[in-house]
Amino acid sequence: MAKWANALILDGGSDLLRTRAATTDRIKMHLIKAYTAGDSYSTVVTTNGLGSVSLVAGDIVQSTVSSNRVTTFGAKSITLTANSGASPDLHVAVVDSTTSEVLYVADETTDQVVTSGGTFNVPAFTWTVNQPT
């Protein structure tokens, strides 16, 4: 479930993500050890970052389910570059490394302790925009 979305994503939707992801190494998925709504790019990537992987346009798939628009982020494997500490509140952040913007943050529900050098598998997750009623 979404924790936070940048106004750019709320206005431009997943098309903005897919367009930017077409630029090599621009859009990245980070595993982070903590998140507060509105955290800066530096806080997300540098202070709380545990590892990242680049996304390409094909990692972001758009579909329609029961008249709602669904964006699916594909499963990714992240090589860890830092330790989470004893009680992490893990999240997955999608960032634009060119403009230094946090675009989307989702909760990661296992909140398991992770260590540098390991690998963390992020399962596919979705963001749904409901049809107005």
Side-chain angles (χ1 to χ4, degrees):
M1 170 178 254
K3 181 84 171 174
W4 185 84
N6 188 306
L8 292 168
I9 301 304
L10 295 174
D11 294 344
S14 57
D15 282 339
L16 181 125
L17 281 172
R18 289 172 43 82
T19 299
R20 290 186 180 186
T23 303
T24 304
D25 292 329
R26 180 172 183 173
I27 301 298
K28 297 187 182 294
M29 178 185 289
H30 285 261
L31 181 67
I32 57 177
K33 62 185 173 185
Y35 182 75
T36 299
D39 274 353
S40 71
Y41 179 85
S42 178
T43 298
V44 168
V45 172
T46 306
T47 305
N48 292 334
L50 300 172
S52 68
V53 64
S54 292
L55 297 179
V56 297
D59 292 325
I60 304 162
V61 177
Q62 301 162 311
S63 63
T64 301
V65 177
S66 300
S67 299
N68 298 321
R69 200 67 177 141
V70 178
T71 301
T72 300
F73 294 87
K76 298 300 267 185
S77 180
I78 296 176
T79 300
L80 301 168
T81 57
N83 298 323
S84 66
S87 299
D89 182 16
L90 299 180
H91 289 76
V92 175
V94 177
V95 304
D96 185 327
S97 62
T98 300
T99 60
S100 300
E101 294 170 308
V102 178
L103 299 174
Y104 186 80
V105 180
D107 194 23
E108 195 292 317
T109 59
T110 68
D111 292 336
Q112 63 186 296
V113 173
V114 298
T115 56
S116 181
T119 301
F120 189 88
N121 294 315
V122 178
F125 61 97
T126 61
W127 168 37
T128 302
V129 177
N130 294 323
Q131 186 63 250
T133 57

